Amino acid sequence: KMDEYLRHLWTRYRRFISYMIVGGLTTVINFAVYYLPGLDLTNILIRNTVSWLISVIFSFFANRRFVFHSMASTVRAKLGEFVGFVGSRFASLIAEDLIIALCALCGLSNDIAKIPATVIVVILNYITGHIVFRGRDAVRGRVRELLHIKEHR
């Protein structure tokens, strides 16, 4: 019974589960670089940007292959995905930096400020990943599916 239920969940939410696994690994990489001992980047925003850059490169290839199963085959299509992915992640970097800066202005430590910023960025990145690799219509369809909304025509 449990095996059936787990298979059902996997079938229904495979992309989301895969995204959470890849996202978790990306976050581990991001935090590992961010908190890397000996990384002499005293400016918090520079440290955040370096950790972002390394994690985005990993995330592009992992999401393309294991989450969204991109079918792009031409160099032009792959480059378009890369530019779109990095562009969307750059927008989320700006959002993350703003959240960290606002948290710091409110008196939160840099270590604590990184946590809410990361949660918001993960949500933004899931949505934009769908747009980059699947298109806007796929996002609408996936939201309807996750929320169990039937399409009315």
Side-chain angles (χ1 to χ4, degrees), residues 69-85:
H69 306 283
S70 172
M71 301 303 280
S73 58
T74 66
V75 171
R76 181 181 177 132
K78 290 176 184 178
L79 186 60
E81 285 180 346
F82 183 77
V83 169
F85 189 86

Side-chain angles (χ1 to χ4, degrees), residues 17-31 58 122:
I17 294 167
S18 297
Y19 179 78
M20 293 308 293
I21 292 168
V22 167
L25 291 171
T26 301
T27 302
V28 166
I29 290 167
N30 184 289
F31 274 64
F58 165 80
V122 165

Side-chain angles (χ1 to χ4, degrees), residues 4-47:
E4 276 182 41
Y5 182 68
L6 291 175
R7 266 188 285 241
H8 166 73
L9 287 177
W10 175 251
T11 302
R12 184 169 184 95
Y13 300 107
R14 177 178 32 219
R15 184 171 292 133
F16 181 73
I17 294 167
S18 297
Y19 179 78
M20 293 308 293
I21 292 168
V22 167
L25 291 171
T26 301
T27 302
V28 166
I29 290 167
N30 184 289
F31 274 64
V33 173
Y34 185 82
Y35 292 112
L36 190 67
L39 185 62
D40 192 23
L41 299 174
T42 54
N43 183 315
I44 189 74
L45 297 180
I46 293 172
R47 178 181 291 269

Side-chain angles (χ1 to χ4, degrees), residues 22 67 133:
V22 167
V67 178
F133 293 110

Side-chain angles (χ1 to χ4, degrees), residues 112-128:
I112 299 297
K114 178 84 171 151
I115 295 167
T118 299
V119 170
I120 292 167
V121 165
V122 165
I123 295 166
L124 289 173
N125 288 344
Y126 183 68
I127 294 166
T128 59

